[in-house]
Amino acid sequence: MPEDEEYYGKHGEPRKYDPTFKGPIQNRGCTDIVCCILFIIAVLGYIAVGILAWSQGDPRKVIYPTDSRGQFCGQTGTPLENKRQLFYFNIMKCASPMVLLEFQCPTTQLCVEKCPEKFMTLLNAHANQKDFDYYKNFCQEGVNRKMGLPEILSKRLCPAMLTPSKPFTRRCFPALGQKGGIITVGNSSRFDDGSGKIRDAKDLVDGVKNATVVIEARQTVMKIFEDYTQSWYWILLGLGIAMILSLLFIILLRFLAAIMVWVMIALVILVIGYGIFHCYMEYAALKGQPGANVTLQELGFQTDFSVYLQISQTWLAFMIILAIVEVIIILLLIFLRKRILLAIALIKESSRAIGYMMSSLFYPLITFILLALVIAYWAVTAVFLSTSNKAIYKIFNETDCEHSRKTCDPANFSTSPMSAQCPDSECLFAFYGGETPYHKYLIALQFYNVFLFFWCANFVTALGQMTLAGAFASYYWAFVKPDDIPSLPVFSALGRSLRYHTGTLAFGAFILSVIQIIRVLLEYLDHKLNGAQNKCARFLLCCLKCCFWCLEKCVKFLNRNAYIMVAIYGKNFCVSARDAFFLLMRNIIRVAVVDKVTDFLLFLGKLLIVGLVGVFAFFFFSGRVKAFEDTAPTLNYYWVPILTVIIGSYLIAHGFFSVYNMCVDTLFLCFLEDLERNDGSPERPYLMSESLRKLLNKKNKTEPAH
């Protein structure tokens, strides 16, 4: 018919009527078996990588400071259990540029119980038994007064001097201060370095700076962790409020969807209208002022953008742009009002579907738990892989030496030829590494860990989408609602997805994971090229990032609709993706309007929930409200729980609204299929709701008997 030709377009053949079709097909076979096998092999390999990493890794390397012998300071059950602080023999050697390359100071490092609290040189301490007993706390074992000073210093058993220090992230750093603009340490601007030289306290600054390159970040992390321990129960309360608000919003959508959509549209029109009015007032105020009549072309490019706001032409341009946008929106509302009503009807229908299967609202908890397991496995494996290197010791020296920076063995270094050739050298712990085949392929294992993380995470997300699609499709195609809806529709759909379509889920997740890993590599390259001057390379990289971002969005959209078709018809991924794509292309106007209207409405719902909970969290944790001053916990950074509540609220709202969004998308595809399959005759009645039929001027010639 001409009407059908206009409606369907030229993208594929419309779906034919099938009298045996009663909703999601129960008698189906396994799809994409090869992908299923490859996914199982990849997961087994992932488990093997995790076991290998756990057998080789040692997270203590991240938790505890390490002395020059590679021992962990403060580790429970070791002789160093009570020696929690790391002490540097000569902190000024940390000023060497090699520190930034190797992350290791070329000086002896020792685990001590507490940091030195006063100035003292080895020369002075050696003359007094009491001072020497104190000094020995910062020396290696086996030191006594019977040993001469030259012997102690040549064997590097003790530091030449002690300076007042304070612990910072379990490391002893000079207690630097400032008096009258002069750097001081221990209230003194000068000190004896132990070799008879009097030096300025400012000489310690460079050493402290380099030694704290990585450590300051750890201190911030510790403070954030402390804030979490003080506020975790209030954070949980905020997340609970977000959950309640999400449920209320979904319930309100069922009864007030039309009002909420039209209020939203009216607010958008009013906001843009106010923008036009404000631009006109600014334009009128600047029109007669001297210097405001300069054109944008005459002004040229200015780095200070506030200059443009002083020109009347800028406000005229803003006013014209906003007026064009306003006219476009009003015209779209006039010509697409029927499509907007269709979106509202779909939202109402989705509310009814969710009302009949409330368990679907809590399915995101299963997805959340599975994603949490995937993230935890990835994070733990990454930590163990990064800490599975062996302790590497290198030769550090002050004078020229052919063996400088070569690897060494601290157990026999003092009797080795290298020590004899370089008398002032030391064999110190440098870093964790290794030259075995396992250590050489650590980067490849880390890459495999990241890729499998993306693949498993996308698989879990896809499983949730297909499960919900199968459940909501069974609602739509039920001839008599709710009598014909199968029992436990969510769990039935979950069983079908896992039993028959694991390969299809893995296929779609794999395609998405490849794109995401390419985006990660592009971000890595962009980070590496930050200091590069090649503008052409930076521009090309920016274009690639933009293209792959768009590609990821398109693939996510196609995957989502393909999973809906798989849930209904049980075909493989490629066929389902093609059918979904052609079905959407035959209804491109409806897709564009209905999809965007519902997405925008649900996005506003998320913002509303996040905004309400975020404002409450801000006033509570910041102490701005006197009623909460005594109740709110004392924090280092009050933004830590606020950001946590905001992000957590968004994730909770997104979890609930993702169910709603999936319901809208599934019912929309079913609705399009219904229009193609049926014509309203007694033999082929429409299964859409009465409100949808009225909007489309469709009706069943003979209503089904109840």
Side-chain angles (χ1 to χ4, degrees):
M1 293 188 303
E3 182 183 353
D4 290 340
E5 182 68 28
E6 180 184 353
Y7 174 68
Y8 294 127
K10 300 178 181 179
H11 299 280
E13 292 295 325
R15 186 78 65 177
K16 302 297 182 182
Y17 173 69
D18 181 3
T20 63
F21 180 75
K22 303 295 182 183
I25 295 172
Q26 302 296 326
N27 186 18
R28 56 179 72 194
C30 296
T31 55
D32 299 301
I33 299 173
V34 174
C35 292
C36 179
I37 295 171
L38 291 176
F39 180 65
I40 292 172
I41 293 172
V43 170
L44 291 176
Y46 197 22
I47 294 172
V49 169
I51 294 172
L52 182 63
W54 299 338
S55 65
Q56 299 289 327
D58 189 354
R60 295 174 301 176
K61 297 171 185 176
V62 179
I63 301 171
Y64 300 105
T66 309
D67 68 5
S68 295
R69 297 180 179 178
Q71 301 176 107
F72 303 118
C73 300
Q75 182 185 349
T76 306
T78 67
L80 300 179
E81 181 176 358
N82 296 322
K83 297 182 177 182
R84 299 175 55 81
Q85 314 299 333
L86 186 68
F87 171 70
Y88 298 89
F89 270 29
N90 187 354
I91 191 69
M92 287 184 289
K93 290 187 179 180
C94 294
S96 167
M98 294 302 296
V99 174
L100 300 178
L101 297 176
E102 300 181 355
F103 294 99
Q104 183 69 11
C105 289
T107 184
T108 304
Q109 297 165 43
L110 193 70
C111 297
V112 297
E113 290 187 19
K114 60 181 181 179
C115 299
E117 299 171 345
K118 51 188 175 182
F119 275 117
M120 191 175 292
T121 63
L122 179 60
L123 180 64
N124 295 333
H126 196 268
N128 184 289
Q129 182 64 47
K130 184 178 179 181
D131 289 344
F132 191 76
D133 289 340
Y134 175 78
Y135 206 96
K136 281 199 304 183
N137 293 320
F138 308 98
C139 297
Q140 299 191 46
E141 294 180 3
V143 177
N144 55 66
R145 281 187 73 195
K146 295 179 180 179
M147 301 172 68
L149 288 178
E151 181 184 3
I152 295 175
L153 291 174
S154 64
K155 292 183 177 180
R156 293 179 177 82
L157 299 176
C158 292
M161 64 165 182
L162 298 179
T163 58
S165 303
K166 291 182 179 179
F168 181 71
T169 65
R170 295 174 62 173
R171 289 162 175 84
C172 297
F173 291 113
L176 297 174
Q178 200 170 26
K179 282 187 178 180
I182 299 174
I183 301 294
T184 62
V185 56
N187 296 320
S188 176
S189 61
R190 301 171 73 96
F191 65 94
D192 187 339
D193 68 357
S195 62
K197 294 181 181 179
I198 304 298
R199 306 184 64 165
D200 293 330
K202 66 181 181 181
D203 293 341
L204 296 168
V205 173
D206 289 337
V208 173
K209 279 183 179 177
N210 279 348
T212 57
V213 167
V214 182
I215 295 168
E216 289 181 357
R218 177 178 285 187
Q219 179 69 8
T220 303
V221 170
M222 294 302 294
K223 287 184 178 180
I224 291 174
F225 179 76
E226 183 182 341
D227 287 342
Y228 278 127
T229 60
Q230 296 291 327
S231 59
W232 63 270
Y233 42 90
W234 294 110
I235 292 173
L236 290 179
L237 177 62
L239 298 181
I241 294 173
M243 185 177 293
I244 294 171
L245 288 175
S246 299
L247 284 170
L248 286 175
F249 193 88
I250 287 175
I251 293 171
L252 286 175
L253 271 178
R254 181 171 183 176
F255 303 102
L256 303 174
I259 295 174
M260 294 172 75
V261 170
W262 290 117
V263 166
M264 175 197 70
I265 293 171
L267 286 175
V268 170
I269 293 174
L270 288 174
V271 167
I272 296 176
Y274 173 77
I276 296 171
F277 172 76
H278 181 77
C279 291
Y280 173 77
M281 296 301 294
E282 291 288 343
Y283 171 75
L286 289 171
K287 193 173 182 181
Q289 293 187 8
N293 294 325
V294 178
T295 64
L296 292 172
Q297 188 176 4
E298 292 172 345
L299 184 63
F301 178 75
Q302 302 291 328
T303 54
D304 185 5
F305 291 101
S306 62
V307 173
Y308 294 105
L309 300 181
Q310 308 302 320
I311 300 173
S312 59
Q313 197 178 76
T314 303
W315 294 102
L316 178 62
F318 285 158
M319 183 173 63
I320 293 172
I321 292 170
L322 288 176
I324 292 172
V325 172
E326 184 87 331
V327 171
I328 290 173
I329 291 176
I330 292 173
L331 289 175
L332 286 174
L333 288 174
I334 293 172
F335 291 105
L336 299 178
R337 62 188 184 281
K338 197 171 183 180
R339 310 294 186 191
I340 295 172
L341 291 172
L342 178 61
I344 295 171
L346 270 176
I347 290 172
K348 287 183 176 179
E349 193 67 17
S350 299
S351 298
R352 293 191 191 97
I354 293 173
Y356 287 128
M357 41 185 91
M358 290 298 291
S359 60
S360 63
L361 283 177
F362 300 97
Y363 183 85
L365 290 176
I366 298 175
T367 302
F368 175 78
I369 292 170
L370 292 175
L371 283 177
L373 290 174
V374 171
I375 293 171
Y377 186 88
W378 163 77
V380 171
T381 303
V383 169
F384 274 87
L385 281 174
S386 61
T387 58
S388 58
N389 291 309
K390 296 180 180 179
I392 301 297
Y393 299 87
K394 287 193 174 185
I395 297 172
F396 292 91
N397 59 290
E398 296 182 7
T399 59
D400 291 335
C401 175
E402 61 177 316
H403 301 295
S404 179
R405 300 300 186 271
K406 288 184 179 180
T407 56
C408 57
D409 184 359
N412 56 15
F413 178 73
S414 58
T415 59
S416 67
M418 292 184 291
S419 177
Q421 294 175 22
C422 305
D424 66 334
S425 62
E426 295 179 84
C427 183
L428 303 177
F429 167 77
F431 56 87
Y432 291 103
E435 297 182 356
T436 65
Y438 169 74
H439 295 105
K440 288 180 180 179
Y441 291 104
L442 268 179
I443 294 177
L445 292 176
Q446 285 283 24
F447 180 84
Y448 186 78
N449 183 33
V450 173
F451 181 76
L452 262 292
F453 162 70
F454 281 127
W455 198 358
C456 293
N458 288 324
F459 178 86
V460 169
T461 304
L463 176 63
Q465 291 174 348
M466 188 179 290
T467 298
L468 293 173
F472 294 129
S474 65
Y475 162 82
Y476 186 93
W477 295 109
F479 196 76
V480 179
K481 301 176 180 63
D483 297 341
D484 291 343
I485 299 175
S487 58
L488 302 174
V490 175
F491 293 102
S492 298
L494 175 61
R496 287 196 302 271
S497 300
L498 288 175
R499 182 179 177 183
Y500 299 110
H501 306 302
T502 299
T504 300
L505 295 170
F507 190 11
F510 176 80
I511 296 172
L512 189 56
S513 301
V514 170
I515 297 171
Q516 289 172 337
I517 204 72
I518 292 174
R519 289 192 63 201
V520 169
L521 293 175
L522 289 175
E523 289 292 342
Y524 175 77
L525 287 175
D526 188 39
H527 176 72
K528 287 294 183 182
L529 291 174
N530 266 338
Q533 300 299 320
N534 192 332
K535 293 183 179 179
C536 182
R538 295 296 303 278
F539 173 75
L540 181 62
L541 190 62
C542 184
C543 291
L544 286 173
K545 287 170 61 178
C546 180
C547 290
F548 276 95
W549 179 84
C550 294
L551 181 61
E552 182 183 354
K553 295 296 180 185
C554 292
V555 169
K556 281 184 175 180
F557 178 77
L558 290 174
N559 280 8
R560 185 184 184 90
N561 288 287
Y563 296 144
I564 295 173
M565 300 301 279
V566 173
I568 298 173
Y569 296 106
K571 296 181 181 179
N572 64 41
F573 179 82
C574 293
V575 172
S576 299
R578 183 201 62 193
D579 291 346
F581 177 74
F582 283 153
L583 178 62
L584 294 174
M585 290 303 295
R586 292 195 296 268
N587 300 271
I588 189 64
I589 300 297
R590 282 176 176 155
V591 171
V593 177
V594 173
D595 190 57
K596 293 309 170 187
V597 168
T598 52
D599 283 352
F600 188 52
L601 177 62
L602 297 178
F603 177 71
L604 285 180
K606 294 177 193 176
L607 288 186
L608 176 64
I609 292 165
V610 171
L612 290 174
V613 177
V615 168
F616 172 77
F618 173 76
F619 284 111
F620 179 80
F621 290 111
S622 64
R624 301 292 178 91
V625 180
K626 291 184 177 180
F628 297 145
E629 282 182 347
D630 297 332
T631 311
T634 304
L635 304 169
N636 296 302
Y637 310 113
Y638 68 82
W639 51 263
V640 170
I642 294 174
L643 283 180
T644 305
V645 168
I646 289 175
I647 294 172
S649 300
Y650 180 82
L651 292 176
I652 288 172
H654 179 73
F656 281 103
F657 284 88
S658 65
V659 175
Y660 211 96
N661 217 350
M662 198 68 206
C663 185
V664 170
D665 289 348
T666 303
L667 296 185
F668 182 56
L669 279 188
C670 293
F671 161 73
L672 297 179
E673 289 261 326
D674 193 9
L675 284 174
E676 293 188 356
R677 283 180 172 278
N678 303 309
D679 57 7
S681 63
E683 298 80 15
R684 297 163 59 185
Y686 293 117
L687 295 179
M688 66 186 75
S689 65
E690 186 179 352
S691 59
L692 285 172
R693 291 200 301 271
K694 285 182 179 179
L695 282 173
L696 298 172
N697 292 321
K698 306 281 184 182
K699 60 181 180 179
N700 289 331
K701 294 177 182 177
T702 303
E703 295 294 333
H706 296 282

